[in-house]
Amino acid sequence: MTAPPGGAAPADAAPTVVLSRKLIWTIFGALMASMFLASLDQSIVGTALPTIVGELSGVEHQAWVVTAYILGVAIVMPLYGKFGDLYGRRVPFLIAIALFTVASAGAGFTQSFGGLVFWRGMQGLGGGGLMILSQAIIADIVPARERGKYMGPMGALFGISAVLGPLLGGLFTDHADWRWCFWLNIPIGIAAFVAAVLALKLPSHRSRRPVDIAGILTMAVGTAGLVLTTSWTSLSGESGYDWSDTRLLGLVAVTAVAIAAFIVVELRATEPLIPLRLFANRTFLIATSIGFVIGMGMFAALSFLPTFLQMSTGAGVTESGLLMIPMMAGVMLTAIASGGLITKTGRYKIYPIVGMAIAAAAVAWLTTLTGDTSTVQFGVMIFVLGVGLGLVMQPVVLAVQNAVDPHEIGTATSSNNFFREIGASLGVALFGTIFTGRLSDRLTDVFATVPPEAAGQLEGSAESITPQAVQNLPEPLHSGVIDAYADALAPAFWYLVPLLLIGFVLALFLREVKLGNEAGMVARGEAVMAD
């Protein structure tokens, strides 16, 4: 057996866990419940956010509610992956569930905006662990050859929660209390914790290697700087910063120094947080690069399409989220189907290739959006995009897990997800800058045509126009504003097409390593498969 790169103490001579089919499916159920918690919370707050910040007097700083969660998730991803490899995944997983559940209660009962931001950050610290450890635990208990049929539903779960989240958020806000967006997590979290305590029979062990404190600190500073920079530059008006602001430039400088220091530290560390030698593994490098590209492209599209729908159709926030159902249906369909086919055939390379080609074609199709595009045509467009994305997301994680040493499954999984999260932050910021710049120019032209006597109908300026105000505008102003949004958004997608084509080319070079027949725990001598 390969010596553990992480320096973990070897397992006992007699494995302590027998992986029966019943135990695997029981653990899988606990993991799905936990992942549902984390994924639902990424989308449920969006529809309730205007009401939340209004009640807690935080309208001017509402972006912090989202940024705090993203920041928490991004920072802890590498930590959970590494500590799971070093000490075992059971205790970190239980800590993640408990932290997420307690933070949800805190967010639900808070009476101040500052308190809400704090508890959202705490939720992120738990949610990041739930996402990473769930994927790593599946690799621990299921051989790569059979893992597709489990990872497919995990990918589909994100699609379900992305649709269900905005719907529940809107329903709670309109018919109950926005605090149920957080209180809902309490019973689910308690149930998931109990299920994990009873079902998660995973070994714990000790590491003889020192913890990479310097790596943790420099990674945290660098990650926080990246997330904050991309968040603040993607905002508009008083909430954001432009590149002439010395505060933003100072943040960028600190971020660059922290990233450079992190690389130096990791090259010298005895037990690095993210071993840079992983990037010498061709499969890891290419699969992680594809994940980075997917993060940039997917989240950029998801962030701005609902806004276009609200402006063009007059749909409310909840309704615009529901109009994204076709995309999630596409993700669910191909994530589950590809997972089953991978298990049946043992081949996975073709799915990222086909998926990236379809996603690139779908984004190119989105460049034809106009103010007259029907909801049916729009639904078909985003369904095709979802089909492409569903073929890529889980197979690249499987490729990473299959290509690394069994002792580094957690570290490799968390690194892949970490770079996808960073890609998402960068993608949203860059696309947002392009889109809002074009939109501001076009709305200025539209507003310039308004006669002085009609100016009062606009309820503000080009920077403060709302979907409700747009629907109340007389013609031709109504059509002019909608066309301005379409004309700003559609061509902006051309900037994403080359990015996704790069992902397609990378997928062509992805080496298809034969899927292993041993679960991670079995390969490490910690478990045996039941007959």
Side-chain angles (χ1 to χ4, degrees):
M1 182 173 62
T2 305
D12 296 334
T16 58
V17 179
V18 178
L19 294 174
S20 65
R21 287 294 169 189
K22 180 180 179 180
L23 177 60
I24 290 173
W25 281 106
T26 302
I27 293 175
F28 180 67
L31 298 180
M32 289 288 282
S34 303
M35 286 188 70
F36 179 72
L37 275 174
S39 57
L40 184 68
D41 216 68
Q42 287 185 312
S43 59
I44 196 172
V45 174
T47 47
L49 192 58
T51 301
I52 294 173
V53 297
E55 184 173 319
L56 297 180
S57 303
V59 174
E60 293 182 358
H61 307 288
Q62 61 180 297
W64 275 105
V65 178
V66 177
T67 300
Y69 186 83
I70 294 174
L71 187 57
V73 168
I75 287 176
V76 297
M77 276 184 172
L79 300 183
Y80 279 110
K82 189 65 180 183
F83 291 161
D85 283 341
L86 292 177
Y87 306 112
R89 283 181 249 285
R90 185 175 191 271
V91 173
F93 191 75
L94 293 174
I95 291 173
I97 297 177
L99 186 58
F100 188 89
T101 305
V102 170
S104 295
F109 287 105
T110 189
Q111 298 300 315
S112 69
F113 181 78
L116 177 64
V117 171
F118 170 79
W119 288 115
R120 282 288 286 170
M122 292 298 103
Q123 276 188 306
L125 297 182
L130 295 178
M131 290 186 283
I132 293 302
L133 293 172
S134 294
Q135 294 180 4
I137 289 171
I138 282 296
D140 280 340
I141 64 175
V142 179
R145 185 68 171 77
E146 301 178 19
R147 205 173 298 155
K149 65 182 178 183
Y150 295 91
M151 296 187 73
M154 282 184 161
L157 188 66
F158 282 97
I160 295 172
S161 60
V163 173
L164 190 60
L167 177 60
L168 289 177
L171 290 175
F172 288 149
T173 302
D174 292 338
H175 302 290
D177 192 317
W178 61 262
R179 296 178 185 275
W180 278 104
C181 294
F182 304 107
W183 290 339
L184 176 69
N185 296 330
I186 299 175
I188 300 177
I190 292 173
F193 186 87
V194 172
V197 168
L198 297 176
L200 220 57
K201 297 181 179 180
L202 304 176
S204 297
H205 41 73
R206 294 181 179 180
S207 171
R208 302 189 184 99
R209 302 292 183 92
V211 176
D212 183 16
I213 300 297
I216 293 173
L217 293 176
T218 52
M219 181 277 298
V221 174
T223 301
L226 274 174
V227 172
L228 293 177
T229 299
T230 54
S231 297
W232 289 341
T233 55
S234 65
L235 298 172
S236 59
E238 297 180 359
S239 300
Y241 299 90
D242 60 46
W243 289 105
S244 64
D245 195 305
T246 55
R247 292 171 294 182
L248 183 60
L249 295 176
L251 177 61
V252 171
V254 171
T255 302
V257 171
I259 293 174
F262 175 73
I263 294 173
V264 172
V265 166
E266 296 304 274
L267 288 172
R268 298 179 178 180
T270 303
E271 186 56 48
L273 182 65
I274 300 179
L276 299 185
R277 56 181 163 75
L278 282 175
F279 292 92
N281 182 319
R282 176 179 167 182
T283 300
F284 175 86
L285 176 61
I286 292 178
T288 300
S289 299
I290 293 172
F292 180 83
V293 167
I294 281 292
M296 289 191 72
M298 177 177 69
F299 285 95
L302 285 175
S303 296
F304 295 96
L305 284 174
T307 300
F308 170 74
L309 286 172
Q310 292 174 51
M311 291 296 183
S312 63
T313 67
V317 180
T318 303
E319 290 79 4
S320 66
L322 289 175
L323 288 173
M324 297 295 290
I325 285 179
M327 180 175 175
M328 304 313 161
V331 171
M332 291 168 57
L333 174 66
T334 51
I336 294 175
S338 62
L341 289 171
I342 290 172
T343 297
K344 183 177 181 180
T345 64
R347 311 297 294 271
Y348 60 84
K349 178 177 178 177
I350 187 63
Y351 301 105
I353 294 174
V354 174
M356 292 305 303
I358 293 175
V363 171
W365 193 8
L366 285 171
T367 63
T368 64
L369 278 175
T370 67
D372 297 326
T373 301
S374 69
T375 54
V376 173
Q377 181 180 342
F378 178 82
V380 175
M381 288 176 169
I382 60 174
F383 173 79
V384 174
L385 178 60
V387 166
L389 296 175
L391 288 171
V392 180
M393 291 189 294
Q394 295 306 313
V396 296
V397 175
L398 176 61
V400 164
Q401 292 177 338
N402 185 61
V404 300
D405 187 281
H407 296 89
E408 292 187 318
I409 285 177
T411 301
T413 302
S414 64
S415 298
N416 181 270
N417 281 267
F418 174 74
F419 284 102
R420 187 177 67 189
E421 195 77 18
I422 295 300
S425 295
L426 292 174
V428 171
L430 294 174
F431 189 84
T433 300
I434 295 168
F435 169 60
T436 54
R438 293 174 58 89
L439 179 61
S440 178
D441 292 340
R442 280 149 184 77
L443 284 180
T444 299
D445 293 340
V446 172
F447 277 55
T449 65
V450 181
E453 62 273 12
Q457 299 181 66
L458 296 179
E459 302 180 15
S461 66
E463 296 181 353
S464 61
I465 191 89
T466 64
Q468 293 76 18
V470 170
Q471 298 309 308
N472 293 327
L473 290 175
E475 292 293 351
L477 288 176
H478 176 263
S479 297
V481 171
I482 292 175
D483 289 340
Y485 268 84
D487 190 37
L489 181 65
F493 281 115
W494 280 120
Y495 292 92
L496 297 181
V497 174
L499 184 68
L500 295 176
L501 289 177
I502 290 173
F504 169 74
V505 173
L506 288 171
L508 293 175
F509 291 94
L510 183 65
R511 182 178 297 166
E512 188 162 52
V513 181
K514 182 179 179 181
L515 294 176
N517 290 313
E518 281 189 324
M521 286 171 56
V522 175
R524 297 192 298 268
E526 299 169 347
V528 294
M529 297 298 297
D531 294 332

